[in-house]
Amino acid sequence: MTEPDALDRRIDAAARSYHAPGDPPLDAIWSRIEGDVAAALQAALADELAARRRGRVLRWAASAAALAASFAVGMIAGRAEDAPLSAPAPVAEAPAPSPPPAVA
Amino acid sequence: MRSRNRETHGEGMGRPAGVTAAEPDADRARVERARRGDVRAARELYDAHAPRVYRIACRFAGDAARAEEVVQDTFVRAFQRLGDFRGEAFGAWLRSIAVSVSLNALRTLRRRAAREVALADVDEPASHPVEPRDVERVHAAIDALPERARGVFVLHALEGYSHAEVAAMLGISEANSKVILLRARARLREELHDLGEEWKG
């Protein structure tokens, strides 16, 4: 009986010719796909530019929102500073005590 | 067996004359140029990687014309999806597309062949070129392997890719690739054990 490793090596040796590749006709294949590749690259470029544009718009919107928010916070803080913090709060007047009942 | 040009290990053997080197840094620059619509950069990527894609396509498809179709589909698909490429090794990314395209082509071919045989109901002789009997039997045994096992065997044992590379191409784990190869070898041994006796003799 042949050892498994030896049999594997024999199988590998015989398998080498399994669908053995020849020389690829690179130029012929490229000439068939060149147009498709150019179109694919243009489409990919257009997608990327659109994605970049979307990204720029989103970044601008986020910056504008952040600016508006800080402006609003500033306004609120400014108004709070304008309010007279030292003025005493109005005290509600206590009702006048009722006179003691007359003693007979 | 392991004479193909492997970009990951920098071996320079087996590169056809005039083929541009497939180096990760050069590839990154070419991909960037291609993303900006530069067809010449696309051609450089094609020159650097098409020979290896063609080898894989031949091993899977088994026919030069079909292998050429696989190469065409692989590159057109790759350039259509260039936006999905995230800077890992371009060659590995491309080969995973090639394997996927090859397997799809093979499935279509087998479905069509099965339909034709069922319709004709005749025993056509095999269209393979005439080989010595034992080599023919080995080829038939490889053909009879399950799709994934054949893929792992072809890529690892015949094309010399590492299990990590095979795993990336087939979308499986490295450990799974090793297990599948062991099973494929066991199945081939079982199928061809009588050849072992003959070879021994």
Side-chain angles (χ1 to χ4, degrees), chain A residues 2 8 18-19 26-27 32, chain B residues 43 46 59 68 72 143 196:
Chain A
T2 311
D8 282 347
Y18 177 77
H19 298 166
L26 293 181
D27 288 335
R32 290 199 290 271
Chain B
R43 174 70 204 241
Y46 169 84
R59 295 284 195 190
E68 286 179 28
Q72 287 173 212
D143 274 335

Side-chain angles (χ1 to χ4, degrees), chain B residues 109-161:
Chain B
L109 194 74
R110 288 194 166 182
R111 272 198 299 272
R112 198 182 302 150
R115 267 202 307 274
E116 281 166 7
V117 167
L119 285 172
D121 200 22
V122 287
D123 254 342
E124 289 289 328
S127 61
H128 293 296
V130 181
E131 299 272 358
R133 190 175 60 87
D134 52 351
V135 172
E136 208 169 87
R137 275 196 60 197
V138 170
H139 290 189
I142 297 169
D143 274 335
L145 288 173
E147 184 179 286
R148 192 167 278 186
R150 194 175 58 253
V152 171
F153 181 78
V154 161
L155 292 170
H156 182 81
L158 303 187
E159 286 299 310
Y161 288 103

